[in-house]
Amino acid sequence: MKDLPLAKVYQLLEPGPVVLLATASGGRVNVMTMSWHMMVDFEPPLIACIVSTGDYSFAALCKTKECVIAIPSVDVADLVVKIGNCSGRDVDKFSEFAIASKKAEQVAAPLLPQCFANLECRVVETRLVDKYNLFVLEVVKAWIEPKQKNAKTIHHRGYGTFVVDGEVIKLKSRMR
Amino acid sequence: MKDLPLAKVYQLLEPGPVVLLATASGGRVNVMTMSWHMMVDFEPPLIACIVSTGDYSFAALCKTKECVIAIPSVDVADLVVKIGNCSGRDVDKFSEFAIASKKAEQVAAPLLPQCFANLECRVVETRLVDKYNLFVLEVVKAWIEPKQKNAKTIHHRGYGTFVVDGEVIKLKSRMR
């Protein structure tokens, strides 16, 4: 994986892919699937996301204020669903599903090299956690896998239905 | 357009489509494009979104605390880009681009019948507006156009590059 400039992070998350969120707390790593996230600012990249009190990752995220957001392509969609179908409360998902991991540079949570992009994040805003489980994260380091340049992401439509990225079109937009 | 049960709204927004946001304030309607949004809760459906102080819609949203989020398919991608390329400060977009509109049921902002789904929304949370331009909306009424059942949405990747919905796959997910 190579460095991705922080100014380009929004281009990965703005299209709304299903992502994985990895945490490490008290010697225990965990990973969950997540579709409720959005960009909040370009640079430094800020991301809002919902991690619910029902998610086993909630406590680790609150305690460590760190996580990794990893973006899987459709090639690992089966793994993504397995990760989403169980809780870290009951299963060591890394061991159960033989998930590869790699030491991150700035956070304790692991990078997931099976994903084509990995974003090391710190929690910077918690005012809306109590009422909405809404965290704002700052991406402090971003990684991209050049070998997966044309990775197709997946987008959840509910109850196991996913839309895979299709045609790429270019329009005369003046928007960044 | 027919009623969409509020419990199904997340299935439209969770996949991360480019949307339009319409407002009406002081007899003036306006519409902007938006990709920075996410689901916050299932039912009632809560949506977080970023509407920046630089957007002409910001003042109308703050003042009226109402808007319509409309979801366009790729068939109207050119219109979406035109809407995004200019500001309501300079142009009456509805007149300039001959955008169709229809009276909403619960908010003053107009429905956009050229879009296959329309969500009438009220602002319910503004604590993060000052620092992040982050609004939380509640969907109070949702509409779907049954004639566009297999509408393909578009997802922005920056600088006019859009990914169109591709293949739909079904995986054995236990996730709602």
Side-chain angles (χ1 to χ4, degrees):
Chain A
M1 284 191 293
K2 66 167 200 158
D3 274 11
L4 177 72
L6 293 180
K8 289 192 171 178
V9 164
Y10 82 97
Q11 297 176 2
L12 297 170
L13 286 183
E14 190 170 304
V18 175
V19 300
L20 301 175
L21 184 141
T23 49
S25 181
R28 176 84 158 78
V29 289
N30 190 36
V31 57
M32 62 175 274
T33 58
M34 182 169 79
S35 284
W36 292 10
H37 59 77
M38 69 171 175
M39 290 306 299
V40 170
D41 209 347
F42 288 107
E43 200 177 1
L46 299 181
I47 300 167
C49 65
I50 306 293
V51 176
S52 127
T53 48
D55 295 320
Y56 185 65
S57 307
F58 181 85
L61 189 59
C62 287
K63 193 177 166 200
T64 65
K65 293 201 181 306
E66 290 181 356
C67 64
V68 164
I69 290 181
I71 311 179
S73 77
V74 65
D75 301 337
V76 289
D78 284 333
L79 176 63
V80 171
V81 167
K82 281 180 194 162
I83 288 170
N85 278 348
C86 61
S87 169
R89 215 169 274 116
D90 314 312
V91 186
D92 175 346
K93 302 191 198 184
F94 280 85
S95 153
E96 180 80 9
F97 305 128
I99 301 170
S101 66
K102 214 184 136 181
K103 206 173 160 4
E105 192 180 280
Q106 301 203 27
V107 300
L111 304 176
L112 306 180
Q114 284 158 295
C115 291
F116 72 89
N118 275 266
L119 312 174
E120 303 185 21
C121 300
R122 290 214 180 90
V123 174
V124 292
E125 171 68 66
T126 57
R127 268 181 286 170
L128 297 195
V129 171
D130 278 355
K131 189 159 183 193
Y132 301 104
N133 300 321
L134 188 157
F135 295 82
V136 180
L137 314 172
E138 179 181 333
V139 181
V140 292
K141 176 78 191 173
W143 303 94
I144 193 96
E145 176 52 69
K147 282 176 216 146
Q148 291 197 52
K149 204 174 180 335
N150 297 309
K152 284 177 188 292
T153 63
I154 56 175
H155 307 256
H156 190 225
R157 278 201 193 157
Y159 298 101
T161 300
F162 295 83
V163 187
V164 185
D165 286 347
E167 190 189 1
V168 176
I169 58 176
K170 190 88 192 165
L171 300 171
K172 288 204 171 126
S173 170
R174 295 193 199 113
M175 289 173 281
R176 175 177 180 183
Chain B
M1 285 191 292
K2 66 169 200 157
D3 273 12
L4 177 72
L6 292 180
K8 290 191 171 178
V9 165
Y10 81 97
Q11 298 175 3
L12 297 171
L13 285 184
E14 189 170 303
V18 175
V19 300
L20 300 175
L21 185 141
T23 49
S25 181
R28 177 81 158 78
V29 290
N30 190 37
V31 56
M32 61 175 275
T33 58
M34 181 168 79
S35 283
W36 292 11
H37 58 78
M38 69 172 174
M39 289 306 299
V40 171
D41 209 346
F42 288 107
E43 200 177 3
L46 299 181
I47 300 167
C49 66
I50 306 292
V51 176
S52 125
T53 47
D55 295 320
Y56 185 66
S57 307
F58 181 85
L61 190 59
C62 288
K63 192 178 167 199
T64 65
K65 295 202 181 305
E66 290 180 355
C67 64
V68 164
I69 290 181
I71 310 180
S73 77
V74 64
D75 301 337
V76 287
D78 283 333
L79 176 62
V80 170
V81 167
K82 280 179 195 162
I83 288 170
N85 277 349
C86 61
S87 168
R89 213 169 275 115
D90 312 313
V91 186
D92 175 346
K93 302 191 197 185
F94 280 84
S95 153
E96 179 80 10
F97 307 127
I99 301 170
S101 67
K102 215 184 136 180
K103 206 172 160 5
E105 192 181 281
Q106 301 204 26
V107 300
L111 304 176
L112 306 179
Q114 285 158 294
C115 291
F116 72 90
N118 276 266
L119 312 174
E120 303 185 20
C121 301
R122 290 215 180 90
V123 175
V124 292
E125 171 67 67
T126 57
R127 268 181 287 169
L128 297 195
V129 171
D130 278 355
K131 190 159 181 191
Y132 301 104
N133 300 320
L134 188 157
F135 295 82
V136 180
L137 314 173
E138 178 180 335
V139 181
V140 292
K141 176 77 192 174
W143 303 94
I144 193 95
E145 175 51 68
K147 282 177 219 149
Q148 292 197 51
K149 204 173 179 335
N150 298 308
K152 285 178 187 293
T153 62
I154 56 174
H155 307 257
H156 191 225
R157 279 201 191 157
Y159 297 101
T161 300
F162 295 83
V163 187
V164 184
D165 285 348
E167 189 189 0
V168 176
I169 59 177
K170 190 87 194 168
L171 299 171
K172 286 201 173 128
S173 170
R174 295 195 199 111
M175 289 172 281
R176 177 178 179 183

